[in-house]
Amino acid sequence: MKRIMFKSKIHRATVTGADLNYEGSITIDSELLKLADILPYEKVDIYNVTNGERFSTYVIPGEPGSGEVCLNGAAARKVQKGDIVIIVSYCELSDEEARKFQPTVVLVDEENRPVKVTRSSGGILV
C-alpha cells in the first residue's frame, strides 16, 4: 500500500504579489524552497488563511532572499497582496516509510524570513 503524506510546508507566508497576466504558478523565494525541500515545478497546495481559498499549482523559484511569494495566472484571483497562506507539498510513501516519516516545516515571519525550520529528523535548524 502507498500513502500520500505531507512532505513539507512553508507556514503562514505573506503574499507579496498577484500577477494575473503571468502564465501561471507561484513564485517563491528560492531560499525558502530549499529550506522546505520543494523543487522548481513541483506541485503544491496553497491554503489561504485570510479568505479560506484552497487550490493547487506548481512552483517557480524566485530571487534568493527576496521573501517573494507571488501567485501568478488564474491563481492570482484567489489571493490579494498581504494575504497569509500555507504552501504544502506531499510525497507518496510505502506504509512502512510513512509510519516513520516526519515532515519539514518552515515557519516564516511577516516578511517571509525563516524563523524556525524543523526537519524530518525532528531537529530545529533555525
Side-chain angles (χ1 to χ4, degrees), residues 62-89:
E63 182 180 335
S66 65
E68 182 176 22
V69 174
C70 182
L71 277 298
N72 305 306
R77 294 214 183 264
K78 301 197 174 274
V79 300
Q80 293 184 37
K81 185 176 179 179
D83 282 1
I84 302 300
V85 295
I86 301 168
I87 303 159
V88 182
S89 69

Side-chain angles (χ1 to χ4, degrees), residues 3-50:
R3 295 182 184 261
I4 298 173
M5 303 295 291
F6 154 46
K7 179 181 68 101
S8 61
K9 72 177 175 176
I10 301 170
H11 191 71
R12 296 187 62 85
T14 302
V15 173
T16 59
D19 185 355
L20 185 60
N21 296 313
Y22 193 82
E23 292 176 13
S25 71
I26 181 171
T27 305
I28 302 173
D29 176 330
S30 61
E31 288 182 5
L32 292 177
L33 293 177
K34 189 172 188 176
L35 287 172
D37 188 27
I38 298 173
L39 297 176
Y41 312 109
E42 185 171 344
K43 179 181 177 180
V44 292
D45 285 347
I46 311 295
Y47 307 135
N48 189 329
V49 175
T50 305

